[in-house]
Amino acid sequence: MAKNTTETPKGGAFQDLMNPLNRRNFLRYTGVGLATTAVILTGCDDDDDSTVMNDDGTNTTTVNLGSGDIGVLNYAYALEQLEAAFYTAVVALPNFSTLFPSATERQVLTDIRNHEIAHREFFKKAITAAAANQIIPALTPNLPASALASRTSILATAKTFEDLGVAAYNGAGKLISSAGAAYLSIAGKIVSVEARHAAEIRDMIENGTFASGPAGITAGNIVDANGLDVALTPAQVLAAAQPFIKETINGSNLPTQ
């Protein structure tokens, strides 16, 4: 598949994240809606999106991520939307303080929420600047009540999302074309933050007893025999993420190598 050779945009969100990535930079992108627990589906100009009828008569939107570098950015944007929606829902729980009586733990989860919102808003701004007619819409999270029911289930779900996010970035880096090399630099900065999140979540899970993650990721095999972090393909990642998103995500046009 031919890779997108669109010139990398300069300035704006892209240039800001090229600067040292710290908490202040992240919070510049938090925007509005920190207390919102649902992401509203908006319109999209992408003609590849379509609506299909389910057996029960309801409609499901299929969202095509597109191709080339923009498709890879849309892929990351979709995952960041999911993570931002999850942590926003966690922090907004009426019993948040009861589930996490430790002020330190509440601050960690709040900081992670802010980081994920910052990531989401960065990709939204960067894709809009590069190819406004190709950006995917806001997605509708499908978070089961069980994922938010207890401290244990919240941390297990957070671990799943963080491990999945790290593996997704690791697997997607090679899909970015040489023309989009600057995007790879940004992805490297973001994946390092996602890895820090994963470490924070593990530190909050008692006694190092971790639930199995997606696609075979467990506490024992997030690092392979070569001492490298696990990398997953978009197909593997989307299969694991799909149950948490109401829209059907189509990544069939993404680069494969």
Side-chain angles (χ1 to χ4, degrees):
M1 179 179 294
K3 293 186 179 180
N4 188 352
T5 57
T6 302
E7 183 178 354
T8 302
K10 307 298 182 184
F14 176 81
Q15 188 59 50
D16 287 342
L17 262 79
M18 284 297 291
N19 295 330
L21 198 54
N22 54 41
R23 192 168 185 269
R24 178 174 296 179
N25 285 341
F26 272 131
L27 297 181
R28 293 181 61 187
Y29 295 96
T30 56
V32 296
L34 291 182
T36 304
T37 59
V39 179
I40 306 301
L41 180 65
T42 61
C44 181
D45 294 331
D46 192 340
D47 291 337
D48 289 334
D49 291 349
S50 60
T51 300
V52 297
M53 189 70 71
N54 296 326
D55 292 339
D56 61 2
T58 59
N59 291 330
T60 298
T61 299
T62 298
V63 175
N64 194 314
L65 298 177
S67 60
D69 288 346
I70 297 301
V72 177
L73 294 182
N74 273 327
Y75 169 55
Y77 178 40
L79 296 176
E80 296 296 352
Q81 287 190 52
L82 176 57
E83 288 188 297
F86 170 69
Y87 287 107
T88 296
V90 169
V91 174
L93 287 170
N95 60 341
F96 181 50
S97 294
T98 302
L99 293 173
F100 296 92
S102 165
T104 299
E105 289 190 344
R106 292 197 302 274
Q107 188 61 57
V108 167
L109 292 169
T110 301
D111 284 345
I112 293 177
R113 175 202 64 182
N114 292 345
H115 293 169
E116 302 299 1
I117 290 175
H119 294 166
R120 181 194 70 197
E121 293 306 300
F122 163 71
F123 282 112
K124 180 178 180 180
K125 188 172 181 179
I127 299 168
T128 299
N133 65 332
Q134 296 180 49
I135 189 170
I136 62 171
L139 302 175
T140 312
N142 183 34
L143 299 173
S146 59
L148 302 170
S150 67
R151 180 183 186 277
T152 298
S153 65
I154 289 170
L155 293 180
T157 304
K159 176 185 171 297
T160 293
F161 287 163
E162 296 301 344
D163 285 350
L164 186 65
V166 172
Y169 278 102
N170 288 343
K174 66 179 182 179
L175 305 181
I176 298 175
S177 73
S178 58
Y183 289 132
L184 187 59
S185 175
I186 295 302
K189 290 184 176 184
I190 292 178
V191 72
S192 65
V193 175
E194 298 290 354
R196 292 174 189 271
H197 292 171
E200 289 276 16
I201 295 300
R202 277 179 165 74
D203 194 48
M204 293 168 65
I205 297 175
E206 290 185 71
N207 300 321
T209 302
F210 310 130
S212 294
I217 298 177
T218 65
N221 69 1
I222 55 171
V223 177
D224 66 20
N226 297 315
L228 302 176
D229 221 334
V230 169
L232 296 178
T233 66
Q236 291 173 308
V237 171
L238 292 175
Q242 184 60 72
F244 299 98
I245 303 171
K246 290 187 177 181
E247 293 77 26
T248 298
I249 307 301
N250 179 359
S252 62
N253 293 321
L254 291 176
T256 57
Q257 58 182 4

